[in-house]
Amino acid sequence: MWVQLLSQQLIEVRGKATTFHPGDWVEVSKQTADRWVLSGQAQTANRNGLTFDDKMGIVARGKTTSLPGALAGKIKVVNGQSVHFEKTLFWDGQINPQPGLLAVGFNLLEKWQVAAPLWSYTELASQAGNENDRNKAQTILRDLRVLLYDHRLVFVRRCADGLAFVEQWQKERGNYHDERLAFLVALYQCKPIICALPVTWVKK
Amino acid sequence: MQANHLRFACDLGEEMRQGIVYVAYGDRARQELGYSLESLQRWSSLPVKVIDECPYPVFHLIGQSPYIGQSRITKTKLIEMSPFDDTLYLDVDTRINGSVEIGFEALNDGFDLVITASQNQEESDYLWHIGSQDREATLNDLGFIALQLQAGVFWFRKNDATRRLFEQWSIEWAKFNDQDQGALLRALYRCPVKVWLLGRVFNGGSVIEHRFGMARG
């Protein structure tokens, strides 16, 4: 089955491991193709690819507004802190989002109010921040043996609960050295309907 | 730690606010249940309900499931079968080694569902334990490889949102009559609720140990 790569892959060609790059078309087994498409590493010929509309946009923190390769020019990027678009992705300009998954993330906001990847499957809030951070967080969260989210890639729907969450998140960022705890505390306080995503949504 | 006497839901009057539910079908499951209950009573004095398909003389059974031979559909019907406002569901092959209050506290604070992520999250292992049709339906429905949840330990509060979720879970489970986790994911993505994710210590870890698969006969 033919797929167009959205990420670099090493594929065996005539017995030799060959590097293929984003944009390359390659023929692989259906199983491999399905797995890559569903994890955002490739797209099929029938898919519209990375389709975005003007309801969607990215709010970038810091000075970066340039998206990596496949995304460049496909979606609006602004600097700021607020829920600027009907479906907003808060992006920490430092990390590389999986391009094929961004459209998926925006579409999740049809049903969910917030969507964000987990930070780790094993690292807990009890291991984050300094002692002061953890003591403060524990007064809200009650128990820190809970999973952390990756605050660097957060999809938010512009609705009352989404706006309230973002406002609280911004407030808590000033209260914690470790921003992961700030995000988690805001989440616990506001309780938006959040879709937790696999850690692989952020390339590490 | 003083041992607490197990209280079964049939012994209670109006005290149905919080409680713990097991589903135990078959002799092996009942054997595992005994071990789980023994561990639970060291850490919790909450009432317990055991749902079985037939009367069981040793435990005060008050929940007899109409779903003969189908323990998994019973799990998707927990919202109807649990007498509690806030329920902790435990697989019978769990062993309790610490307080289970964390989930009830999160429900009290406003969450609908408290659960852990599965230990297997590798894409190549995605829903490895369910049938291929069930897995394909889940992939097609969601359109991406979602976070897998472990439905052997979870807390839930009865409200409109969770009623919709459980109703959809039953519908999804009935499509393939297989394991419950693919069905749960499809249901959750159609009927999202407020979820609080706990660390693995609460399912397959130091607080709630999980001897996966031991209950199957």
Side-chain angles (χ1 to χ4, degrees), chain B residues 21-33:
Chain B
V21 171
Y22 290 92
V23 174
Y25 280 35
D27 290 338
R28 192 147 172 196
R30 293 183 195 107
Q31 185 179 35
E32 288 293 315
L33 170 66

Side-chain angles (χ1 to χ4, degrees), chain B residues 36-206:
Chain B
S36 189
L37 286 169
E38 190 180 9
S39 68
L40 177 66
Q41 70 177 339
R42 289 194 282 271
W43 294 98
S44 176
S45 59
L46 288 175
V48 175
K49 173 171 175 171
V50 178
I51 300 172
D52 197 337
E53 60 184 326
C54 60
Y56 187 53
V58 177
F59 293 102
H60 292 270
L61 178 71
I62 65 126
Q64 189 167 347
S65 173
Y67 305 104
I68 305 298
Q70 294 183 310
S71 61
R72 292 197 192 281
I73 191 176
T74 302
K75 196 192 284 191
T76 72
K77 302 287 188 186
L78 282 179
I79 201 155
E80 300 160 30
M81 302 194 74
S82 169
F84 311 114
D85 295 329
D86 291 348
T87 301
L88 164 60
Y89 166 78
L90 289 170
D91 270 355
V92 294
D93 52 2
T94 52
R95 305 289 183 268
I96 314 307
N97 300 311
S99 170
V100 296
E101 279 307 300
I102 183 175
F104 290 112
E105 284 170 351
L107 294 180
N108 265 342
D109 287 340
F111 286 96
D112 300 321
L113 176 70
V114 183
I115 197 167
T116 66
S118 297
Q119 294 198 5
N120 294 314
Q121 296 289 347
E122 291 294 325
E123 284 165 16
S124 53
D125 288 340
Y126 190 62
L127 297 174
W128 62 273
H129 61 301
I130 74 176
S132 56
Q133 282 187 306
D134 197 346
R135 183 169 52 252
E136 206 169 301
T138 307
L139 287 168
N140 286 335
D141 253 25
L142 274 52
F144 73 105
I145 296 180
L147 183 74
Q148 299 177 70
L149 301 176
Q150 216 300 320
V153 175
F154 60 90
W155 294 251
F156 67 93
R157 167 163 284 195
K158 283 186 184 176
N159 58 34
D160 289 344
T162 52
R163 282 191 188 91
R164 284 191 294 270
L165 172 64
F166 274 84
E167 189 181 329
Q168 191 64 36
W169 194 5
S170 291
I171 292 169
E172 293 299 332
W173 182 87
K175 288 178 181 175
F176 302 105
N177 285 11
D178 191 11
Q179 307 285 322
D180 49 59
Q181 277 162 249
L184 175 60
L185 281 182
R186 295 195 301 275
L188 188 58
Y189 277 72
R190 285 175 195 268
C191 304
V193 295
K194 297 180 183 186
V195 180
W196 185 238
L197 289 176
L198 304 184
R200 279 182 195 163
V201 294
F202 292 100
N203 187 350
S206 58

